[in-house]
């Protein structure tokens, strides 16, 4: 059942990854990226909580004390893309050079697959998924810690 669901998701996840790659945003400015993630999860009936800044979001599936979390950075880097791929960055001076676009698409796929496993699945406890930019300079890990604390409290 889960394998079939994942097989169905792969083409849309590839397109999501390529769309994210085409439209990268720098850290703490991932407003359109966040909107795209929210729209994708919303289309699958998954409620999403967006950070107050509008850049970054998280979801939580299931109930219980146990928590398994997946986190992905969603920001691009201040670099010009010279890859030549058909889905190269359309934002001059910004690109996904280290896989954040892929990590985000994977996280969306995990969320949709777990949500699709539904009640009665072998899943026990909560699953949290979060996406947001890297920490601000001089505050290493602050964003990661804030999202982690937020998920742990829920």
């Amino acid at each position: 059942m889960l394998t079939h669901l994942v097989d169905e998701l792969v083409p849309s996840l590839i397109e999501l990854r390529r769309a994210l790659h085409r439209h990268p945003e720098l850290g703490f400015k991932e407003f359109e990226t966040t909107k795209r993630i929210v729209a994708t999860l919303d289309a699958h009936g998954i409620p999403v909580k967006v950070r107050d800044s509008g850049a970054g979001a998280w979801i939580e599936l299931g109930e219980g004390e146990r928590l398994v979390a997946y986190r992905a950075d969603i920001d691009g880097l201040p670099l010009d893309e010279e890859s030549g791929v058909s889905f190269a960055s359309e934002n001059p001076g910004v690109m996904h050079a280290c896989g954040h676009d892929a990590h985000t698409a994977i996280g969306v796929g995990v969320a949709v697959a777990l949500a699709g496993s539904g009640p009665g699945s072998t899943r026990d406890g909560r699953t949290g998924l979060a996406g947001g930019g890297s920490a601000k300079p001089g505050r290493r890990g602050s964003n990661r810690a804030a999202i982690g604390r937020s998920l742990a409290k829920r």
Side-chain angles (χ1 to χ4, degrees):
M1 176 171 82
L2 190 56
T3 303
H4 180 68
L5 178 60
V6 171
D7 288 344
E8 287 179 5
L9 287 172
V10 168
S12 64
L13 294 175
I14 290 170
E15 182 49 39
L16 174 62
R17 184 263 169 158
R18 290 179 177 179
L20 293 171
H21 194 89
R22 277 192 299 273
H23 305 283
E25 298 174 289
L26 295 175
F28 300 102
K29 297 177 183 175
E30 311 100 325
F31 306 111
E32 295 305 314
T33 300
T34 299
K35 289 177 186 176
R36 186 179 305 272
I37 293 165
V38 169
T40 302
L41 293 169
D42 187 54
H44 290 280
I46 300 171
V48 184
K49 298 172 182 112
V50 176
R51 296 184 67 192
D52 291 342
S53 68
W58 73 94
I59 69 165
E60 188 174 326
L61 303 169
E63 297 178 1
E65 292 296 316
R66 295 173 49 188
L67 171 68
V68 174
Y70 178 94
R71 184 191 173 282
D73 285 333
I74 62 174
D75 59 324
L77 296 173
L79 300 169
D80 288 315
E81 181 160 6
E82 299 174 1
S83 69
V85 297
S86 62
F87 51 91
S89 174
E90 296 176 8
N91 296 346
V94 185
M95 75 171 286
H96 279 292
C98 60
H100 292 177
D101 50 343
H103 297 160
T104 301
I106 290 166
V108 168
V110 167
V112 173
L114 289 174
S117 63
S121 71
T122 57
R123 189 166 34 95
D124 178 31
R126 298 174 293 144
T127 304
L129 294 101
S134 299
K136 290 181 182 177
R139 296 184 61 201
R140 185 179 169 139
S142 60
N143 191 40
R144 289 179 184 96
I147 291 173
R149 283 191 302 273
S150 177
L151 284 172
K153 290 178 184 176
R154 297 183 187 332

